[in-house]
Amino acid sequence: VILTLNVRYWTLDELKKEKDKVVVLKGYNKDGEVFVHNGILISPDGKVLTTFTAIDYLQRAEVYIGKQKYEVEKVIGYDTSNDVAILKLKNAQNLPYAKVGDSTKIKLGDKVIVINSSNIYSSVFISEYDKDNKLFILNGETIKKDETGMAVFNFRGEVVGIGFTGY
């Protein structure tokens, strides 16, 4: 028996259409300071994947999907050691969302696309992988310094990571 897998890879233009699934996360700390980060819609009912760094110390947050504003209802969960958090949007329904892929299948040299909420696309390669810290090192086009919560897509149109540029 010969099993043939027909895996279709997305083009760059197809991946750029995923931009509506990458959202702006605007948060306010107790002093009223405003912080703006990125997030990724991962369910039609308004679950947003972002970094813990993006929500740490925030008292209130809202998410913009295009011009539509949603309040963050609650933090569903977070993992500080992996710097991830999942938020739930209030009154969200039928939203476009990104399919989540398996990041353990990423290999050195794989090409991925990083998309932020400003619709900046960066085509980058995985240049290092730190398995202990579950951290990809991306090299390629410039990614804005001090940005967090960017979507990292493989060429199957799946989110395989969440980006940050470090502090």
Side-chain angles (χ1 to χ4, degrees), residues 135-161:
L135 180 68
F136 297 123
I137 310 299
L138 306 172
N139 282 336
E141 297 176 28
T142 303
I143 298 173
K144 186 177 165 187
K145 187 179 181 315
D146 295 336
E147 190 158 14
T148 185
M150 302 164 294
V152 180
F153 284 92
N154 64 19
F155 274 84
R156 291 189 176 106
E158 302 165 328
V159 171
V160 292

mmCIF file of all heavy atoms in Angstrom, residues 135-161:
data_model
loop_
_atom_site.group_PDB
_atom_site.id
_atom_site.type_symbol
_atom_site.label_atom_id
_atom_site.label_comp_id
_atom_site.label_asym_id
_atom_site.label_seq_id
_atom_site.Cartn_x
_atom_site.Cartn_y
_atom_site.Cartn_z
ATOM 1 N N LEU A 135 11.825 28.291 22.130
ATOM 2 C CA LEU A 135 12.008 29.601 21.533
ATOM 3 C C LEU A 135 12.603 29.468 20.140
ATOM 4 O O LEU A 135 13.624 28.816 19.958
ATOM 5 C CB LEU A 135 12.956 30.416 22.421
ATOM 6 C CG LEU A 135 13.303 31.820 21.999
ATOM 7 C CD1 LEU A 135 12.070 32.706 22.100
ATOM 8 C CD2 LEU A 135 14.403 32.356 22.888
ATOM 9 N N PHE A 136 11.937 30.060 19.153
ATOM 10 C CA PHE A 136 12.467 30.140 17.796
ATOM 11 C C PHE A 136 13.251 31.427 17.659
ATOM 12 O O PHE A 136 12.831 32.463 18.154
ATOM 13 C CB PHE A 136 11.349 30.216 16.745
ATOM 14 C CG PHE A 136 10.458 29.030 16.689
ATOM 15 C CD1 PHE A 136 9.092 29.179 16.867
ATOM 16 C CD2 PHE A 136 10.953 27.778 16.432
ATOM 17 C CE1 PHE A 136 8.252 28.102 16.790
ATOM 18 C CE2 PHE A 136 10.121 26.685 16.363
ATOM 19 C CZ PHE A 136 8.768 26.841 16.538
ATOM 20 N N ILE A 137 14.365 31.356 16.977
ATOM 21 C CA ILE A 137 15.104 32.556 16.630
ATOM 22 C C ILE A 137 14.883 32.769 15.141
ATOM 23 O O ILE A 137 15.158 31.894 14.332
ATOM 24 C CB ILE A 137 16.616 32.404 16.918
ATOM 25 C CG1 ILE A 137 16.865 31.891 18.344
ATOM 26 C CG2 ILE A 137 17.340 33.710 16.638
ATOM 27 C CD1 ILE A 137 16.344 32.804 19.432
ATOM 28 N N LEU A 138 14.339 33.922 14.793
ATOM 29 C CA LEU A 138 13.980 34.208 13.415
ATOM 30 C C LEU A 138 14.974 35.194 12.824
ATOM 31 O O LEU A 138 15.287 36.202 13.433
ATOM 32 C CB LEU A 138 12.581 34.814 13.350
ATOM 33 C CG LEU A 138 11.468 34.021 14.021
ATOM 34 C CD1 LEU A 138 10.179 34.837 14.033
ATOM 35 C CD2 LEU A 138 11.247 32.710 13.311
ATOM 36 N N ASN A 139 15.446 34.894 11.632
ATOM 37 C CA ASN A 139 16.317 35.818 10.911
ATOM 38 C C ASN A 139 15.711 36.079 9.551
ATOM 39 O O ASN A 139 15.233 35.172 8.893
ATOM 40 C CB ASN A 139 17.722 35.243 10.735
ATOM 41 C CG ASN A 139 18.534 35.361 11.997
ATOM 42 O OD1 ASN A 139 18.268 36.210 12.838
ATOM 43 N ND2 ASN A 139 19.531 34.518 12.143
ATOM 44 N N GLY A 140 15.730 37.304 9.138
ATOM 45 C CA GLY A 140 15.183 37.670 7.836
ATOM 46 C C GLY A 140 14.962 39.149 7.784
ATOM 47 O O GLY A 140 15.748 39.924 8.310
ATOM 48 N N GLU A 141 13.862 39.538 7.174
ATOM 49 C CA GLU A 141 13.544 40.954 7.078
ATOM 50 C C GLU A 141 13.377 41.557 8.470
ATOM 51 O O GLU A 141 13.104 40.860 9.431
ATOM 52 C CB GLU A 141 12.266 41.142 6.274
ATOM 53 C CG GLU A 141 12.395 40.667 4.841
ATOM 54 C CD GLU A 141 11.082 40.773 4.090
ATOM 55 O OE1 GLU A 141 10.261 41.644 4.445
ATOM 56 O OE2 GLU A 141 10.900 39.998 3.169
ATOM 57 N N THR A 142 13.511 42.844 8.544
ATOM 58 C CA THR A 142 13.434 43.538 9.830
ATOM 59 C C THR A 142 12.045 43.419 10.438
ATOM 60 O O THR A 142 11.044 43.600 9.770
ATOM 61 C CB THR A 142 13.775 45.022 9.646
ATOM 62 O OG1 THR A 142 15.057 45.105 9.052
ATOM 63 C CG2 THR A 142 13.770 45.753 10.966
ATOM 64 N N ILE A 143 12.006 43.099 11.704
ATOM 65 C CA ILE A 143 10.772 43.088 12.483
ATOM 66 C C ILE A 143 10.910 44.215 13.494
ATOM 67 O O ILE A 143 11.961 44.385 14.109
ATOM 68 C CB ILE A 143 10.571 41.729 13.188
ATOM 69 C CG1 ILE A 143 10.436 40.628 12.144
ATOM 70 C CG2 ILE A 143 9.355 41.769 14.091
ATOM 71 C CD1 ILE A 143 10.413 39.240 12.728
ATOM 72 N N LYS A 144 9.872 45.002 13.649
ATOM 73 C CA LYS A 144 9.902 46.178 14.516
ATOM 74 C C LYS A 144 10.380 45.820 15.927
ATOM 75 O O LYS A 144 9.912 44.862 16.527
ATOM 76 C CB LYS A 144 8.504 46.784 14.562
ATOM 77 C CG LYS A 144 8.394 48.076 15.308
ATOM 78 C CD LYS A 144 6.971 48.599 15.212
ATOM 79 C CE LYS A 144 6.720 49.673 16.210
ATOM 80 N NZ LYS A 144 5.326 50.070 16.234
ATOM 81 N N LYS A 145 11.294 46.609 16.444
ATOM 82 C CA LYS A 145 11.841 46.393 17.792
ATOM 83 C C LYS A 145 10.762 46.576 18.855
ATOM 84 O O LYS A 145 9.877 47.399 18.725
ATOM 85 C CB LYS A 145 12.984 47.372 18.024
ATOM 86 C CG LYS A 145 13.743 47.132 19.303
ATOM 87 C CD LYS A 145 14.871 48.120 19.436
ATOM 88 C CE LYS A 145 15.694 47.934 20.662
ATOM 89 N NZ LYS A 145 15.023 47.717 21.893
ATOM 90 N N ASP A 146 10.842 45.792 19.894
ATOM 91 C CA ASP A 146 9.949 45.856 21.055
ATOM 92 C C ASP A 146 8.486 45.570 20.727
ATOM 93 O O ASP A 146 7.596 46.082 21.376
ATOM 94 C CB ASP A 146 10.051 47.209 21.762
ATOM 95 C CG ASP A 146 11.423 47.428 22.374
ATOM 96 O OD1 ASP A 146 12.110 46.430 22.654
ATOM 97 O OD2 ASP A 146 11.800 48.589 22.568
ATOM 98 N N GLU A 147 8.254 44.754 19.729
ATOM 99 C CA GLU A 147 6.881 44.396 19.386
ATOM 100 C C GLU A 147 6.582 43.000 19.941
ATOM 101 O O GLU A 147 7.445 42.142 19.963
ATOM 102 C CB GLU A 147 6.688 44.412 17.869
ATOM 103 C CG GLU A 147 5.255 44.290 17.493
ATOM 104 C CD GLU A 147 4.986 44.826 16.106
ATOM 105 O OE1 GLU A 147 5.915 45.050 15.342
ATOM 106 O OE2 GLU A 147 3.809 45.008 15.807
ATOM 107 N N THR A 148 5.353 42.797 20.375
ATOM 108 C CA THR A 148 4.985 41.508 20.945
ATOM 109 C C THR A 148 3.605 41.079 20.475
ATOM 110 O O THR A 148 2.767 41.917 20.158
ATOM 111 C CB THR A 148 5.048 41.551 22.489
ATOM 112 O OG1 THR A 148 4.787 40.252 23.002
ATOM 113 C CG2 THR A 148 4.075 42.518 23.090
ATOM 114 N N GLY A 149 3.381 39.768 20.389
ATOM 115 C CA GLY A 149 2.083 39.220 20.022
ATOM 116 C C GLY A 149 1.869 39.027 18.536
ATOM 117 O O GLY A 149 0.754 38.787 18.095
ATOM 118 N N MET A 150 2.915 39.112 17.743
ATOM 119 C CA MET A 150 2.786 38.940 16.296
ATOM 120 C C MET A 150 2.489 37.483 15.963
ATOM 121 O O MET A 150 2.934 36.575 16.652
ATOM 122 C CB MET A 150 4.083 39.360 15.607
ATOM 123 C CG MET A 150 4.485 40.783 15.888
ATOM 124 S SD MET A 150 6.203 41.124 15.463
ATOM 125 C CE MET A 150 7.076 40.105 16.636
ATOM 126 N N ALA A 151 1.748 37.264 14.881
ATOM 127 C CA ALA A 151 1.417 35.905 14.447
ATOM 128 C C ALA A 151 2.540 35.355 13.583
ATOM 129 O O ALA A 151 3.009 36.023 12.662
ATOM 130 C CB ALA A 151 0.116 35.908 13.655
ATOM 131 N N VAL A 152 2.954 34.131 13.878
ATOM 132 C CA VAL A 152 3.944 33.431 13.064
ATOM 133 C C VAL A 152 3.208 32.297 12.362
ATOM 134 O O VAL A 152 2.717 31.370 13.010
ATOM 135 C CB VAL A 152 5.106 32.885 13.925
ATOM 136 C CG1 VAL A 152 6.116 32.152 13.039
ATOM 137 C CG2 VAL A 152 5.776 34.002 14.719
ATOM 138 N N PHE A 153 3.096 32.405 11.031
ATOM 139 C CA PHE A 153 2.372 31.425 10.219
ATOM 140 C C PHE A 153 3.345 30.541 9.457
ATOM 141 O O PHE A 153 4.358 31.021 8.946
ATOM 142 C CB PHE A 153 1.505 32.132 9.166
ATOM 143 C CG PHE A 153 0.251 32.745 9.693
ATOM 144 C CD1 PHE A 153 0.225 34.064 10.102
ATOM 145 C CD2 PHE A 153 -0.925 32.011 9.745
ATOM 146 C CE1 PHE A 153 -0.943 34.650 10.574
ATOM 147 C CE2 PHE A 153 -2.099 32.579 10.216
ATOM 148 C CZ PHE A 153 -2.107 33.904 10.628
ATOM 149 N N ASN A 154 3.020 29.247 9.357
ATOM 150 C CA ASN A 154 3.739 28.391 8.429
ATOM 151 C C ASN A 154 3.091 28.557 7.053
ATOM 152 O O ASN A 154 2.107 29.279 6.900
ATOM 153 C CB ASN A 154 3.764 26.926 8.899
ATOM 154 C CG ASN A 154 2.386 26.292 8.957
ATOM 155 O OD1 ASN A 154 1.412 26.759 8.351
ATOM 156 N ND2 ASN A 154 2.278 25.208 9.704
ATOM 157 N N PHE A 155 3.611 27.864 6.057
ATOM 158 C CA PHE A 155 3.060 28.000 4.707
ATOM 159 C C PHE A 155 1.891 27.053 4.462
ATOM 160 O O PHE A 155 1.498 26.826 3.331
ATOM 161 C CB PHE A 155 4.162 27.863 3.659
ATOM 162 C CG PHE A 155 4.851 29.172 3.406
ATOM 163 C CD1 PHE A 155 5.874 29.595 4.225
ATOM 164 C CD2 PHE A 155 4.431 30.007 2.391
ATOM 165 C CE1 PHE A 155 6.491 30.826 4.026
ATOM 166 C CE2 PHE A 155 5.030 31.235 2.176
ATOM 167 C CZ PHE A 155 6.073 31.648 2.996
ATOM 168 N N ARG A 156 1.316 26.535 5.531
ATOM 169 C CA ARG A 156 0.049 25.807 5.446
ATOM 170 C C ARG A 156 -1.087 26.687 5.961
ATOM 171 O O ARG A 156 -2.205 26.245 6.120
ATOM 172 C CB ARG A 156 0.113 24.511 6.247
ATOM 173 C CG ARG A 156 1.024 23.476 5.642
ATOM 174 C CD ARG A 156 0.865 22.140 6.372
ATOM 175 N NE ARG A 156 1.659 21.136 5.740
ATOM 176 C CZ ARG A 156 2.787 20.653 6.220
ATOM 177 N NH1 ARG A 156 3.251 21.071 7.383
ATOM 178 N NH2 ARG A 156 3.447 19.731 5.573
ATOM 179 N N GLY A 157 -0.758 27.936 6.283
ATOM 180 C CA GLY A 157 -1.751 28.873 6.777
ATOM 181 C C GLY A 157 -2.102 28.680 8.232
ATOM 182 O O GLY A 157 -3.147 29.114 8.692
ATOM 183 N N GLU A 158 -1.212 28.047 8.992
ATOM 184 C CA GLU A 158 -1.460 27.763 10.415
ATOM 185 C C GLU A 158 -0.556 28.627 11.286
ATOM 186 O O GLU A 158 0.611 28.838 10.951
ATOM 187 C CB GLU A 158 -1.148 26.293 10.720
ATOM 188 C CG GLU A 158 -1.943 25.311 9.899
ATOM 189 C CD GLU A 158 -1.360 23.903 9.945
ATOM 190 O OE1 GLU A 158 -0.114 23.750 10.054
ATOM 191 O OE2 GLU A 158 -2.158 22.965 9.865
ATOM 192 N N VAL A 159 -1.107 29.100 12.399
ATOM 193 C CA VAL A 159 -0.279 29.813 13.365
ATOM 194 C C VAL A 159 0.571 28.783 14.102
ATOM 195 O O VAL A 159 0.052 27.827 14.664
ATOM 196 C CB VAL A 159 -1.153 30.585 14.379
ATOM 197 C CG1 VAL A 159 -0.304 31.149 15.502
ATOM 198 C CG2 VAL A 159 -1.925 31.689 13.698
ATOM 199 N N VAL A 160 1.873 28.975 14.055
ATOM 200 C CA VAL A 160 2.783 28.038 14.725
ATOM 201 C C VAL A 160 3.602 28.726 15.815
ATOM 202 O O VAL A 160 4.452 28.102 16.436
ATOM 203 C CB VAL A 160 3.717 27.331 13.724
ATOM 204 C CG1 VAL A 160 2.931 26.379 12.834
ATOM 205 C CG2 VAL A 160 4.499 28.327 12.907
ATOM 206 N N GLY A 161 3.321 30.000 16.007
ATOM 207 C CA GLY A 161 4.058 30.702 17.054
ATOM 208 C C GLY A 161 3.511 32.099 17.256
ATOM 209 O O GLY A 161 2.688 32.587 16.490
#
